[in-house]
Amino acid sequence: MAQDTVEPATPSPGRAEIGEPLVVLSKVNKHFGALHVLQDIDLTVHKGEVVVVIGPSGSGKSTLCRAINRLETIDTGSITIDGVPLPAEGKALAQLRADVGMVFQSFNLFAHKTVLQNITLGPIKAKGVKRKDAEETAMGLLERVGVANQAAKLPAQLSGGQQQRVAIARALAMQPKVMLFDEPTSALDPEMINEVLDVMVSLARDGMTMVVVTHEMGFARKAGHRVVFMDGGQIVEEAAPETFFTAPASDRAKDFLSKILTH
């Protein structure tokens, strides 16, 4: 089901201003065997915009997120980032991935490297940054996400919330144009969720372009410019958070919200 382009909502206090289109998906389709997981997806994410993707399990949210940096290939359609189509492979794809930060449900840190080494590895290897400069930047980012005092530890010595904040710092160290978050809090204990969401809210306020797949509706209300509701591989509806949560337009969205907001 094709969607009309939805203009991003006017930012409310605490939300950054938004600019030109940065990530553009046009008529994107993806199958896993007989399963049509992305169906004619049209979506534009603007610079500085926070787009929160929600919907029931199996609706295609994570596949959409992973397609944006080509962790999943698409069957048909196009995806461009800053006007450049997604490369198929090789150095161009590596460069694109440097521009697109990704934070997963599982933290994906290198277990045998310290927190500081986890963050400096990408800039040193992929961007040729000098070690001293990379370490200086990394310490600044660890300070920003609130775990600077853990720099010399191995990931296993940290709590889940701390590891996820390190993963965010690692993605930021590559100075990405856009950050993708694929259910970044779903593997965390409840008391650790807010410490990660607080970092994400602060990034949003600083103007980082973000696509966030999450079940955290409070984050969507607080930091999102736009909510994209997916079901059955389609974008069913997209609207500003207040509009979506108070007056969803589709029966599918009403049904979804009635199930999650009553518990």
Side-chain angles (χ1 to χ4, degrees), residues 45-72:
V45 181
H46 297 72
K47 287 178 183 172
E49 188 179 18
V50 179
V51 173
V52 182
V53 184
I54 66 172
S57 295
S59 57
K61 309 183 299 293
S62 288
T63 305
L64 173 73
C65 198
R66 291 166 65 85
I68 292 173
N69 76 344
R70 216 173 180 281
L71 284 174
E72 295 287 358

Side-chain angles (χ1 to χ4, degrees), residues 239-254:
E242 277 316 300
T243 305
F244 179 78
F245 288 112
T246 54
S250 66
D251 288 340
R252 280 194 277 181
K254 286 174 192 165

Side-chain angles (χ1 to χ4, degrees), residues 2 23 25 35 37 44 56 63 65 91-92 109 119 122 126 134 168 170 200 209 219 226 243 246 258:
V23 180
L25 289 78
L35 199 61
V37 288
T44 298
T63 305
C65 198
K91 280 189 177 171
L109 298 172
I119 294 173
I168 292 172
R170 180 178 62 176
M200 292 168 63
T209 309
F219 172 82
R226 183 157 41 118
T243 305
T246 54
S258 73

Side-chain angles (χ1 to χ4, degrees), residues 45-119:
V45 181
H46 297 72
K47 287 178 183 172
E49 188 179 18
V50 179
V51 173
V52 182
V53 184
I54 66 172
S57 295
S59 57
K61 309 183 299 293
S62 288
T63 305
L64 173 73
C65 198
R66 291 166 65 85
I68 292 173
N69 76 344
R70 216 173 180 281
L71 284 174
E72 295 287 358
T73 55
I74 59 174
D75 299 332
T76 58
S78 68
I79 301 176
T80 60
I81 294 176
D82 222 0
V84 179
L86 283 196
E89 56 193 19
K91 280 189 177 171
L93 182 58
Q95 177 58 50
L96 169 107
R97 291 215 175 116
D99 286 342
V100 182
M102 183 107 190
V103 178
F104 301 89
Q105 182 174 338
S106 53
F107 321 121
N108 288 11
L109 298 172
F110 294 111
H112 61 291
K113 292 189 181 295
T114 66
V115 164
L116 186 64
Q117 289 169 335
N118 263 281
I119 294 173

Side-chain angles (χ1 to χ4, degrees), residues 1-258:
M1 183 171 68
Q3 296 289 306
D4 294 329
T5 302
V6 173
E7 282 302 309
T10 306
S12 63
R15 290 189 179 94
E17 292 290 337
I18 49 189
E20 297 297 307
L22 179 63
V23 180
V24 180
L25 289 78
S26 178
K27 299 283 180 287
V28 168
N29 284 276
K30 169 74 178 174
H31 293 78
F32 290 126
L35 199 61
H36 196 172
V37 288
L38 296 177
Q39 302 180 26
D40 280 333
I41 298 291
D42 288 328
L43 180 67
T44 298
V45 181
H46 297 72
K47 287 178 183 172
E49 188 179 18
V50 179
V51 173
V52 182
V53 184
I54 66 172
S57 295
S59 57
K61 309 183 299 293
S62 288
T63 305
L64 173 73
C65 198
R66 291 166 65 85
I68 292 173
N69 76 344
R70 216 173 180 281
L71 284 174
E72 295 287 358
T73 55
I74 59 174
D75 299 332
T76 58
S78 68
I79 301 176
T80 60
I81 294 176
D82 222 0
V84 179
L86 283 196
E89 56 193 19
K91 280 189 177 171
L93 182 58
Q95 177 58 50
L96 169 107
R97 291 215 175 116
D99 286 342
V100 182
M102 183 107 190
V103 178
F104 301 89
Q105 182 174 338
S106 53
F107 321 121
N108 288 11
L109 298 172
F110 294 111
H112 61 291
K113 292 189 181 295
T114 66
V115 164
L116 186 64
Q117 289 169 335
N118 263 281
I119 294 173
T120 57
L121 187 67
I124 291 168
K125 295 277 190 200
K127 293 202 161 180
V129 177
K130 292 188 175 125
R131 181 174 303 278
K132 181 174 173 294
D133 295 339
E135 288 181 350
E136 204 171 289
T137 301
M139 288 307 298
L141 289 169
L142 287 172
E143 189 76 46
R144 181 177 183 181
V145 301
V147 287
N149 58 343
Q150 311 291 336
K153 291 186 178 175
L154 294 171
Q157 296 173 281
L158 274 57
S159 71
Q162 289 171 327
Q163 289 187 61
Q164 193 61 295
R165 285 184 280 158
V166 171
I168 292 172
R170 180 178 62 176
L172 291 172
M174 297 297 284
Q175 299 180 305
K177 293 177 179 176
V178 56
M179 287 275 284
L180 310 176
F181 293 86
D182 187 8
E183 304 205 9
T185 58
S186 60
L188 298 177
D189 293 333
E191 69 272 19
M192 293 174 190
I193 289 173
N194 281 341
E195 63 191 52
V196 173
L197 291 178
D198 286 346
V199 170
M200 292 168 63
V201 168
S202 135
L203 285 181
R205 287 183 177 149
D206 289 348
M208 173 58 75
T209 309
M210 296 161 65
V211 178
V212 184
V213 174
T214 187
H215 294 292
E216 299 295 333
M217 300 302 145
F219 172 82
R221 281 179 184 259
K222 186 188 289 188
H225 290 88
R226 183 157 41 118
V227 172
V228 170
F229 174 69
M230 292 186 71
D231 194 12
Q234 299 176 326
I235 294 178
V236 176
E237 175 171 349
E238 41 187 307
E242 277 316 300
T243 305
F244 179 78
F245 288 112
T246 54
S250 66
D251 288 340
R252 280 194 277 181
K254 286 174 192 165
D255 183 52
F256 175 75
L257 289 172
S258 73

